Amino acid sequence: IEFTRRTFKLATAFEAAVKLNEDFDLKIPVGNSVHQRIFYTAADYFQNLMLTTKRYPYLESKTPMDYQMENRQHKAETIARMRVGWTDGKLHVHLLDQGFTREEIVSSGLVKSSVDMRIWDTFPDGCFIYTHYDHGRPSNFTMKSMAKSKAFRLNKECAINDAAFYGLEDLGMDKIAIVEGENDRASMYD
């Protein structure tokens, strides 16, 4: 791949791999799987909701971002770095609007279905969402409810990219701290 990149003066190894795939008719799928695209779309959706101006009674009439900054004492930069999200219970609507099929969405684990064909989000309205990343790709999600009565991670079968735990992307840094949860990790960044 590196030989091809340099020979054809391509900018990235990915471009070289695509060229080799085409030149030798290797028929290797290029790009992300549907499951991976759903995870990218969901991560973006959750992160954008974190920036909502809607105030929630169970957040002491604050926005999700204000709550994280004022009550949890996290910096906006930390929240952005960790890509913390929020859920409104309408991810399934957004994913359908983005062109994903009902079957694809349910198979991702982010949406559940009933025998009468109804679908709903696995993560209910009003929870903070922490996206697990592996090499920059969303691979799993954890939610924390405000009542602290619910903490939930998608089933292992739904995770992709072999992400073993939250914070995997920090491996390889000069210093690593093992902490109990997401807010403790954020406090380390703060």
Side-chain angles (χ1 to χ4, degrees), residues 19 41 60 63 71 104 107 117 132 135-136 149 185-187:
K19 179 165 183 44
T41 304
E60 300 173 7
T63 67
N71 292 59
E104 291 167 340
S107 73
M117 304 303 283
H132 303 222
H135 295 81
S149 59
R185 181 175 179 229
S187 294

Side-chain angles (χ1 to χ4, degrees), residues 67-96:
Y67 181 87
Q68 285 284 330
M69 291 173 60
E70 294 171 21
N71 292 59
R72 289 294 190 167
Q73 301 294 305
H74 297 315
K75 296 177 183 173
E77 298 81 25
T78 298
I79 295 166
R81 177 182 182 175
M82 290 179 56
R83 299 176 257 198
V84 177
W86 179 255
T87 182
D88 62 357
K90 298 178 185 169
L91 174 65
H92 66 285
V93 175
H94 178 70
L95 292 172
L96 289 169

Side-chain angles (χ1 to χ4, degrees), residues 6 26 41 57-58 61 66 116 123 126 128 135 141 156 167 169 181 186:
R6 289 181 184 193
L26 298 175
T41 304
Y58 44 86
S61 296
D66 288 343
D116 64 354
F123 301 129
F128 288 103
H135 295 81
F141 299 88
K156 182 178 165 182
E169 68 272 17

Side-chain angles (χ1 to χ4, degrees), residues 27-40:
K27 295 180 176 50
I28 298 172
V30 176
N32 294 310
S33 68
V34 171
H35 195 138
Q36 184 73 75
R37 290 195 329 267
I38 289 171
F39 273 32
Y40 272 112

